[in-house]
Amino acid sequence: MPRWIATTVVLVCILGVTASAAPTSATLDPAAVPAASAAWLRYAPSSKQAQPSHAYAHLPTTLWSPGTSPTAQAAARELTTGLQRMLGVDLHVATTLPDTGDVLAIGTVADLSQALSQAALPTAPLSPDGFRIARLPQHNRTLWIVAGGSPTGELYGVFRLLAWIAEDKPLPAHPIVHQPANKIRWIN
């Protein structure tokens, strides 16, 4: 028997075994496969969701975002969806900055600086994809700030905040500033 025929027979046998061992649609549980729309943003419930004394119990339940761009609106939706799915927190979305109570305020540095002119908001420049996450004590309340150099930076800041929660990491006590090393983000 020529060598090429023997090689072909061996390959056909290997491929046949591999194909027969592959799962079929009858063996896959569709509920176990994440929806394509969720991609990597699954926002699985936190293992600490049922513990009100957990470090996230002090997160505000009010969200305020002055941005009107599609990216700024996406950032607000992601934060709302992420906190609801991971922690069971239903955020009230305020159209104006409330005068009382703790607030999650997300936006660009320019938008937040304009709206919070009397506050001691850090205004150091950020690159367009850069962001700052900080707690700002203000008159018997705390503003939780996610400020981006642009709406895209705002969205990256929201994703960082949600990543800390997804990893069950404590939220930082001091301001965090992230400036990407490159002008174009290739990886996160």
Side-chain angles (χ1 to χ4, degrees):
M1 174 184 327
R3 186 177 181 98
W4 69 270
I5 294 176
T7 304
T8 303
V9 169
V10 169
L11 285 175
V12 168
C13 289
I14 291 172
L15 291 174
V17 169
T18 304
S20 66
T24 64
S25 60
T27 61
L28 289 178
D29 177 11
V33 178
S37 63
W40 55 278
L41 303 171
R42 283 178 259 170
Y43 301 129
S46 170
S47 61
K48 316 233 175 167
Q49 180 176 350
Q51 299 174 8
S53 63
H54 188 265
Y56 308 130
H58 62 282
L59 277 173
T61 57
T62 300
L63 170 66
W64 174 69
S65 175
T68 58
S69 74
T71 306
Q73 292 172 356
R77 276 192 311 274
E78 289 298 332
L79 188 56
T80 302
T81 300
L83 291 180
Q84 200 290 318
R85 288 186 184 168
M86 289 190 292
L87 300 176
V89 172
D90 290 318
L91 288 178
H92 164 71
V93 179
T95 55
T96 60
L97 180 64
D99 293 330
T100 61
D102 293 352
V103 176
L104 276 162
I106 64 172
T108 64
V109 171
D111 288 343
L112 293 174
S113 296
Q114 183 178 18
L116 301 170
S117 59
Q118 74 279 11
L121 182 67
T123 57
L126 292 170
S127 66
D129 284 358
F131 60 85
R132 179 180 299 110
I133 300 174
R135 296 181 205 181
L136 182 62
Q138 183 190 52
H139 309 295
N140 297 326
R141 71 174 182 169
T142 301
L143 298 177
W144 294 64
I145 306 289
V146 178
S150 70
T152 304
E154 172 186 350
L155 183 61
Y156 282 126
V158 165
F159 285 148
R160 171 56 60 207
L161 180 65
L162 291 170
W164 283 324
I165 294 169
E167 296 167 2
D168 280 333
K169 290 184 177 177
L171 298 177
H174 302 289
I176 299 296
V177 176
H178 176 79
Q179 299 274 28
N182 300 313
K183 288 185 179 182
I184 297 174
R185 287 184 184 257
W186 293 99
I187 58 172
N188 189 1

